Every structure is written in structure tokens, then in C-alpha cells.
Amino acid sequence: EICKSSDTTEETLWIAVPPWNKTQLLEKCLDSISSQVNTGFGNIHIVVFEDYSIDMFTNEQKQKYRNNLQITYLANKGPEKHGSAYGKWKIFEYIRSVALPHEYTLIIDGDDTLADVDTISYIYKRLKQSKAWFAWGRHNGKYSEQCQSLRWNI
């Protein structure tokens, strides 16, 4: 097992999700995170920052995820968008105000999904071993439909 109960104390893993105009993809992203919650991993808190999207989440969509996840929604309601870096900055600003100093942050863009149900456990263990405070990745190509499980030798 990657994350045993001794590894998952009261620490929170913060997941930053900065989507824009991708509500359907954001739902897939949040569904993939939701699949990780019941794998024995500890405390996960998601922070979504919508940057003046033309298709921002409705209250019903937000409630769907609030029922299953610890999730906070932040939004720039306009009148103009500020870009991905701004969204990540606003999320980090929020997390810095509520997280404990030793907690970790994982950035998942709103159009990304996690490879399999163990992805967060792998990343979390790697963060702890390397003493990094955040992690992010990228997909293989702009229109990549294929995804592989990543097995790290840790």
C-alpha cells in the first residue's frame, strides 16, 4: 500500500483546480478526484477557481460535488478574465490563508483527469519524500485521448 494510515494523519492534501470555459471537462476532473477519496487516502480539500468562464458551474453542479468532497469554489465574476496564472495565484493565496505550513498542494488543471485510483497516493508519497510543497504535471499532447498509469519506483 502506498499511503498507510500512519501516512495519512490529519494532514490535508490541497488540490488546486483552475478551470476556464470547460465545465464538462471540469466535471470529469472532479469525478476523477472523487474516485480517489475512497481509496484510504486521508484528508483531501479541493479549491476550484473559475476565471470569468462563460459556462461557470451552476449551484446544482457545485452542490453535487459538495455532497462527496471537501471543496471550496472561488470565482472571478468579471468583467474580464485574468488567465491561468492568476487563477493559480488566487488559489494559492486562499490555501496559504487556511492550510497548515507542512501541508501539500497538487495542481490539476480543469481539463485534466487522474490516471487511476492510486494517483493521489503516489503523488502524495513522492511529495513527502522529496519535501516539495506542490506538484503539477502535463499531458502528452493538446488532443491526447490516451492516458497511462504512471508507476514510480519510490
Side-chain angles (χ1 to χ4, degrees):
E1 235 181 85
I2 296 299
C3 284
K4 297 180 180 168
S5 58
S6 62
D7 290 337
T8 56
T9 59
E10 296 300 316
E11 292 179 330
T12 297
L13 175 66
W14 295 86
I15 300 179
V17 183
W20 186 70
N21 284 349
K22 299 173 184 166
T23 298
Q24 289 178 333
L25 295 175
L26 176 59
E27 288 186 83
K28 288 180 183 179
C29 174
L30 293 176
D31 288 342
S32 78
I33 295 169
S34 183
S35 73
Q36 309 276 308
V37 172
N38 297 320
T39 63
F41 186 82
N43 194 17
I44 297 172
H45 193 111
I46 302 160
V47 182
V48 176
F49 180 83
E50 292 186 279
D51 187 14
Y52 193 49
S53 298
I54 58 171
D55 63 345
M56 292 175 74
F57 254 25
T58 65
N59 287 334
E60 292 79 23
Q61 288 169 307
K62 290 177 184 178
Q63 192 58 45
K64 170 187 170 187
Y65 293 101
R66 282 191 179 120
N67 291 335
N68 300 324
L69 301 168
Q70 292 185 63
I71 191 163
T72 300
Y73 292 94
L74 307 173
N76 165 24
K77 298 189 191 270
E80 60 188 50
K81 100 176 218 62
H82 297 287
S84 178
Y86 177 81
K88 290 174 182 124
W89 174 71
K90 294 303 282 183
I91 291 172
F92 278 129
E93 186 176 67
Y94 172 79
I95 291 172
R96 190 178 70 221
S97 74
V98 295
L100 298 174
H102 64 281
E103 293 178 332
Y104 301 97
T105 301
L106 171 63
I107 302 168
I108 303 175
D109 283 332
D111 58 350
D112 293 339
T113 57
L114 300 173
D116 61 42
V117 296
D118 296 323
T119 303
I120 288 178
S121 293
Y122 289 127
I123 293 170
Y124 180 74
K125 184 167 185 174
R126 190 69 172 168
L127 283 168
K128 286 186 74 118
Q129 287 177 340
S130 67
K131 300 193 183 334
W133 63 276
F134 78 93
W136 64 276
R138 56 183 268 164
H139 57 80
N140 294 328
K142 185 172 183 181
Y143 301 105
S144 178
E145 294 293 323
Q146 297 180 0
C147 187
Q148 304 176 34
S149 295
L150 194 55
R151 299 289 177 204
W152 292 337
N153 187 17
I154 50 177

